[in-house]
Amino acid sequence: MKKSRILCLVLALLMVLSLVACNNNNSNDNQNQGENNNQQENNTPNTPDNPDTPDNPEGPQPPVDDGTLKVDTVDLDTLDMDALYAECDAIYDEVFGEYSDLYLAARAETKDIDQRFANMAIAEAKLLETGSMLPYHDNSGSYGMSPVIPHTAPGILWGVDGQAVRMYQNALVCETFLTPAERSELTAKWLELRGTGTWLEWAKQWAADNGHTLTDTINYVFDDSDMPTNWDVLTSSGANDSFPVAGTLDSLMNYNTEDQLSPALAESYEVSEDGLTYTFHIRKGVQWVNYQGSPIGAEVTADDFVAALQHMFDDQNGPCYILSPIIVNLAAYEAGEITDFSQVGIKAVDDYTLQYTLVEPTPWFITCCGYTVMYPMNRAYYQSQGGKFGQEYDPSAADYTYGTDPQHIAYCGMYLISNFTEKNTMNFVANPTYWDKDNVTIKNINLRYLDGTDPLALYNGTVRDGIYNLSVGLGANQRPLAESTAVPGDPDGKTYFEKYAYVSNPNGKFGYMWWVNLNRTSYKNYNDGAVASTQTVTQAERTHAALLNHNFRMALLMSVDRAAVRAPVSGEETKNLPLINSFVPGDFVSLTADTTVDINGTATTFPAGTYYGEILQAQITADGYPMKVWDPEGNDGAGSSKGFDGWYSPEAAKEYLDMAIEELAAEGILINEENPIYLDTAAATYSPNGQLMDNAAKQSIESTLGGLVQFTLNDCNTSQESGYATYYGFAGYRMNYDFVSGTGWGPDYGDPQTYLDTMLPEGDFIMFAGMY
């Protein structure tokens, strides 16, 4: 399997985060504990080197530990990177080989979309069975209060990362919270009007008829996860960078409030009969302006999309992985095999005609036309800021200022950034030259920084002080206040909880994971040495060996009581609602026709309408694994992969651990109460809720596994320390943990490929863990 050097840096991260099913696979004599007849058991022969032989009848001995700390023996600057790359390749092939083979075969199917989706579900089953990641939660399923009329922001979560500023543009925000009954009425009407183009105007009239006053100003908050580090959205894959900048630009197409793909900078498009050529007709008269809203003397033209794509691939830090494999010669340009960008399959036919040529039919291409990967960039403005193209590109040049701050980008979107003060404020005003300015309902957005140390800051700032006027969650900290505080002037004396509380959307598509680090190299933060591990060399070696054991990893994943971990945030009553059980949400796609797939040698037909998650569950069940990833009764009988805990099983965890202990003993590794396995995590000490959640995870793992695994909470005193232990490393060998939660993934387009590609080794970006 060919892999690039860049890839392997991140693959190390994947190892650090996800490489999990390695040398020892399940024993085939326990059909209820994850047997996969396609996996081979690693039976250790009786040799003189094997401590569990007649020559050594006592079996493995306790480790000899001289107390040397592992952190004192590792210098990242002197690593043999070639050896690390080779090790990463070997681990990937060992752990993810079956997944990769099945998934690539499924992805190659571009004509029969139902067959494609079904085969992808089978491939994901193999991915989850590796034990590389534990699905955790999404951003839904908890109590909250909101003044926002539902469905007045796009519900499609692929494209621009879910909570980007641009999502606010059509929001209808009332001056008071909505009641659950009002929300139900509005949602029912949205379902009725969806696709007619009349929903937003109906909702405005509903507000007027029901005594609700709408505001054109949002006052809300942002935190470290929204803190931009780069104002050039084309050169970043981070949601923190797209959060503010995505609203300053516009895309070819946008999803509207009825979740329909609608014209934006492209007024129309057509696709060739062979599915290889997409031609977009660019809207005339759209002005580029500076941060003050003054025109810079240029319209948006087709060439701006060509310039943007070349800039993204010159830099290679943006979401290149989406388009690289599908546009003609783009991968070759990325790899340096060609240097003439005119050979790439994007062309400005004239000022207002843009054409893309694809390598093969790609059904989902049109669904990513609203994503930052297809944003424009004014060529002349970029060059005026020191930008160059091709081999001359040098962002470190003294005269390169493009994207260094909000004053050094050109705007063509719905908002201008009027002020940004780091860890203080972000302010946005509506762009007076925006082509669709009359339909931008929110004219001003004012955001204040919250550091997360006070769990009541948003609630009090909204309900008590009136500083903020958007939605507020009612978790374990906030709910008691909402239950005890009467709504001023309410004729029935109802409390805020009684009158306004509702359960947030149970169908979120952005999922967070727990990740296992199979090839850990860093035992302190790479940037400043903080969050240093207390593991000794001996302990670290034992941990590494344990995490290479498949049964040990499965024991670990099934020992986490995720509901108990979520309870401090979600509350006891709703702690299960945010839980997810698969990587691709089970209801993300469904079959449009009866489809037959091979499940362990048996031809199995799923009828039209079958959700992805049902096929995923069928393969996992056939392989003998105990995880429940699909509930056919969930979501009011429609079926769901969320809202329940299908992984936590103390009984299964103990059985997996017993098998792991036996297998590791054959390698000379003794595990007992006096000699446990130590696992590090990056603990959110800076956050009261984070501390509660980390301690709940520790309690669950250690008690379920009988103290044979000790879960060490390495203190991260700031969110930055947590980020540098995990997400900000951007390369696996710099990730500082053994098992961590928090990093997630949201879809870029409407195909399971948008999730599953992130676990392939040949891309530019592999899914990896990050901070809370």
Side-chain angles (χ1 to χ4, degrees):
M1 192 174 293
K2 184 178 180 181
K3 305 172 181 68
S4 69
R5 292 177 65 87
I6 293 176
L7 171 279
C8 285
L9 282 174
V10 185
L11 181 56
L13 166 160
L14 175 63
M15 306 306 103
V16 175
L17 316 170
S18 335
L19 294 190
V20 281
C22 212
N23 294 337
N24 294 304
N25 295 321
N26 287 354
S27 169
N28 286 327
D29 58 7
N30 187 336
Q31 293 301 312
N32 292 321
Q33 291 302 313
E35 273 52 274
N36 181 345
N37 293 330
N38 293 324
Q39 295 176 335
Q40 294 182 357
E41 183 179 4
N42 183 7
N43 293 314
T44 307
N46 286 330
T47 68
D49 296 326
N50 179 6
D52 193 15
T53 67
D55 295 328
N56 186 12
E58 296 181 359
Q61 301 299 308
V64 176
D65 192 337
D66 64 6
T68 301
L69 294 179
K70 181 67 174 178
V71 71
D72 294 333
T73 67
V74 177
D75 183 356
L76 297 183
D77 294 332
T78 62
L79 287 178
D80 182 343
M81 298 308 297
D82 288 335
L84 177 62
Y85 299 149
E87 183 177 7
C88 289
D89 288 355
I91 294 176
Y92 186 94
D93 291 340
E94 176 75 23
V95 176
F96 295 107
E98 186 177 15
Y99 159 72
S100 179
D101 290 345
L102 288 171
Y103 171 61
L104 289 174
R107 197 180 72 173
E109 175 58 69
T110 60
K111 297 185 183 300
D112 187 337
I113 303 304
D114 290 318
Q115 194 72 54
R116 172 187 176 90
F117 290 169
N119 287 339
M120 285 183 173
I122 290 173
E124 185 185 341
K126 304 302 180 182
L127 173 64
L128 296 179
E129 291 167 6
T130 66
S132 59
M133 58 186 182
L134 173 63
Y136 186 17
H137 71 92
D138 65 9
N139 293 322
S140 70
S142 58
Y143 277 110
M145 302 185 295
S146 177
V148 182
I149 291 181
H151 307 290
T152 58
I156 298 295
L157 294 188
W158 57 76
V160 174
D161 288 308
Q163 298 304 313
V165 164
R166 70 177 294 174
M167 305 295 282
Y168 295 141
Q169 62 173 312
N170 295 128
L172 299 182
V173 182
C174 301
E175 292 188 348
T176 58
F177 293 125
L178 298 174
T179 67
E182 289 174 323
R183 297 183 62 84
S184 296
E185 177 187 354
L186 288 160
T187 296
K189 193 64 178 181
W190 178 79
L191 290 169
E192 176 187 331
L193 296 180
R194 183 172 53 175
T196 67
T198 62
W199 156 249
L200 202 59
E201 290 305 314
W202 185 93
K204 291 177 182 177
Q205 187 60 50
W206 176 93
D209 293 344
N210 286 272
H212 284 288
T213 302
L214 299 177
T215 179
D216 66 358
T217 298
I218 284 177
N219 299 309
Y220 204 49
V221 300
F222 71 102
D223 59 23
D224 286 315
S225 66
D226 305 316
M227 185 75 68
T229 59
N230 175 13
W231 298 90
D232 178 1
V233 75
L234 296 167
T235 60
S236 173
S237 293
N240 58 313
D241 293 325
S242 67
F243 171 76
V245 184
T248 70
L249 298 167
D250 207 355
S251 49
L252 289 166
M253 310 287 287
N254 278 332
Y255 282 94
N256 60 27
T257 57
E258 297 176 19
D259 291 348
Q260 306 293 312
L261 196 61
S262 58
L265 292 178
E267 292 185 299
S268 62
Y269 74 95
E270 57 261 2
V271 185
S272 62
E273 288 187 9
D274 61 7
L276 297 179
T277 304
Y278 286 70
T279 303
F280 294 89
H281 302 284
I282 305 302
R283 187 180 302 275
K284 296 180 181 179
V286 178
Q287 295 294 311
W288 285 103
V289 299
N290 63 20
Y291 70 100
Q292 295 174 318
S294 301
I296 63 174
E299 289 185 14
V300 173
T301 65
D303 179 65
D304 294 328
F305 294 90
V306 179
L309 191 63
Q310 182 172 8
H311 172 53
M312 175 180 290
F313 277 79
D314 286 342
D315 185 84
Q316 297 194 15
N317 285 309
C320 299
Y321 61 92
I322 299 174
L323 298 182
S324 177
I326 68 170
I327 294 179
V328 166
N329 280 337
L330 194 52
Y333 183 84
E334 181 181 26
E337 297 169 2
I338 63 172
T339 57
D340 181 0
F341 196 75
S342 67
Q343 297 179 40
V344 174
I346 182 173
K347 179 171 63 175
V349 178
D350 57 42
D351 281 352
Y352 303 106
T353 307
L354 175 66
Q355 193 170 87
Y356 292 88
T357 304
L358 308 187
V359 174
E360 61 183 8
T362 307
W364 50 262
F365 176 72
I366 196 66
T367 71
C368 66
C369 288
Y371 194 29
T372 52
V373 72
M374 296 179 71
Y375 272 11
M377 179 189 75
N378 183 262
R379 185 184 296 272
Y381 180 86
Y382 169 68
Q383 291 174 321
S384 75
Q385 305 299 308
K388 295 180 174 63
F389 293 95
Q391 294 178 316
E392 295 182 354
Y393 173 67
D394 182 9
S396 65
D399 65 341
Y400 188 94
T401 58
Y402 184 78
T404 53
D405 57 45
Q407 289 76 47
H408 290 88
I409 54 177
Y411 297 70
C412 69
M414 57 289 298
Y415 293 112
L416 307 175
I417 301 171
S418 58
N419 174 62
F420 170 71
T421 304
E422 186 172 359
K423 294 194 174 185
N424 189 304
T425 55
M426 286 191 206
N427 301 102
F428 303 81
V429 296
N431 179 0
T433 69
Y434 182 53
W435 68 270
D436 197 28
K437 62 181 179 181
D438 293 339
N439 290 316
V440 175
T441 58
I442 299 300
K443 307 299 184 182
N444 302 279
I445 302 173
N446 306 306
L447 306 179
R448 295 189 183 190
Y449 173 76
L450 289 184
D451 63 9
T453 58
D454 180 2
L456 295 177
L458 177 58
Y459 179 90
N460 286 332
T462 304
V463 177
R464 184 188 67 190
D465 303 326
I467 299 172
Y468 313 120
N469 68 340
L470 215 56
S471 305
V472 61
L474 298 178
N477 295 292
Q478 301 83 11
R479 181 170 173 174
L481 287 176
E483 289 177 325
S484 61
T485 306
V487 177
D490 182 75
D492 300 318
K494 287 185 176 181
T495 65
Y496 278 94
F497 189 86
E498 290 171 330
K499 186 166 185 174
Y500 297 123
Y502 73 100
V503 176
S504 62
N505 172 26
N507 296 311
K509 297 295 190 291
F510 195 102
Y512 296 90
M513 306 284 148
W514 282 82
W515 298 95
V516 178
N517 176 347
L518 249 188
N519 200 30
R520 184 179 180 188
T521 302
S522 182
Y523 288 80
K524 61 183 177 182
N525 285 6
Y526 74 93
N527 62 317
D528 61 5
V531 198
S533 172
T534 59
Q535 287 187 31
T536 66
V537 171
T538 300
Q539 290 169 347
E541 290 174 351
R542 287 164 49 79
T543 297
H544 178 70
L547 290 177
L548 288 179
N549 181 280
H550 178 252
N551 282 322
F552 182 87
R553 293 191 304 275
M554 292 301 298
L556 175 62
L557 299 193
M558 305 201 85
S559 72
V560 182
D561 185 347
R562 297 176 299 153
V565 175
R566 288 296 303 170
V569 174
S570 300
E572 191 68 28
E573 183 180 346
T574 58
K575 63 185 181 182
N576 281 299
L577 295 180
L579 299 183
I580 60 175
N581 294 283
S582 59
F583 189 28
V584 179
D587 59 354
F588 189 63
V589 294
S590 61
L591 303 180
T592 62
D594 293 358
T595 303
T596 300
V597 292
D598 183 308
I599 294 185
N600 293 2
T602 300
T604 306
T605 300
F606 294 93
T610 298
Y611 279 114
Y612 176 97
E614 186 175 343
I615 305 170
L616 174 63
Q617 183 68 69
Q619 182 64 62
I620 288 175
T621 301
D623 288 341
Y625 283 80
M627 301 91 76
K628 179 182 178 181
V629 300
W630 179 252
D631 178 10
E633 303 303 320
N635 194 21
D636 295 326
S640 177
S641 60
K642 71 176 304 289
F644 61 94
D645 192 341
W647 284 76
Y648 177 54
S649 172
E651 296 78 13
K654 292 172 185 175
E655 291 182 25
Y656 275 120
L657 183 61
D658 287 342
M659 290 188 288
I661 290 173
E662 181 178 352
E663 291 167 350
L664 289 166
E667 300 176 19
I669 298 170
L670 174 68
I671 300 176
N672 57 28
E673 292 182 1
E674 292 74 30
N675 299 281
I677 297 296
Y678 292 90
L679 301 177
D680 288 341
T681 197
T685 310
Y686 61 90
S687 165
N689 279 343
Q691 292 183 56
L692 293 172
M693 295 168 72
D694 290 332
N695 278 290
K698 177 180 175 67
Q699 168 65 23
S700 179
I701 292 169
E702 293 182 354
S703 62
T704 299
L705 300 181
L708 301 183
V709 175
Q710 294 294 308
F711 196 47
T712 303
L713 308 181
N714 289 338
D715 292 341
C716 297
N717 295 309
T718 66
S719 60
Q720 287 87 351
E721 285 188 353
S722 175
Y724 283 115
T726 55
Y727 183 83
Y728 293 148
F730 293 113
Y733 72 98
R734 297 192 296 195
M735 298 293 180
N736 177 23
Y737 62 85
D738 294 308
F739 189 43
V740 78
S741 73
T743 292
W745 187 257
D748 298 316
Y749 45 85
D751 189 294
Q753 180 175 340
T754 189
Y755 288 92
L756 299 177
D757 262 7
T758 65
M759 300 300 291
L760 284 179
E762 80 268 15
D764 289 328
F765 183 82
I766 293 179
M767 183 62 219
F768 58 90
M771 59 184 175
Y772 283 95

